[in-house]
Amino acid sequence: MSNTLDQLCTIAQRELGAEALNDKVDTPFVELGLDSLGLVDFMFTVEDHFHVNIEHDRALQNPTLAGLAALVDELLAAKAEPAIA
C-alpha cells in the first residue's frame, strides 16, 4: 500500500469515525458512508492535507480510496515537475 493511500485511510477513518479501512480501499465512497456533502468535506480535508486541488469530476471517475490515492499521487507528481520556461 502506498504512503498516500495509508494517509487517505487514516484521514477517512478520522472523518468517518470508522474502524481501519485498509481492507476497504476499493470500496466506493458511498458504501463507506460518504454522501455527496460528506464527500465534498472529505475532499477539502484531503486537499488541505496534501496541498493539491482536486477536480471533483476526476475524483468521481474512480470514487474509492485507491482511486483517490492514484489521483493525488498524479497531482503531486505534476506539482513536483519543474516548470518549463
Side-chain angles (χ1 to χ4, degrees):
M1 187 176 302
S2 76
N3 185 40
T4 303
L5 187 52
D6 281 336
Q7 291 179 58
L8 284 175
C9 286
T10 300
I11 294 168
Q13 286 170 221
R14 183 180 64 234
E15 295 292 311
L16 297 172
E19 301 279 326
L21 296 174
N22 293 353
D23 62 337
K24 297 181 180 180
V25 296
D26 293 314
T27 302
F29 290 130
V30 69
E31 291 180 29
L32 294 177
L34 281 171
D35 60 11
S36 57
L37 182 58
L39 183 57
V40 170
D41 287 341
F42 179 66
M43 290 297 172
F44 284 140
T45 302
V46 171
E47 287 178 331
D48 288 345
H49 180 82
F50 290 101
H51 306 288
V52 295
N53 284 326
I54 300 171
E55 293 177 30
H56 191 75
D57 291 340
R58 285 193 66 199
L60 292 179
Q61 289 175 357
N62 188 358
T64 64
L65 290 170
L68 183 57
L71 178 57
V72 169
D73 283 340
E74 179 184 321
L75 294 171
L76 289 172
K79 190 173 162 179
E81 291 177 3
I84 298 174

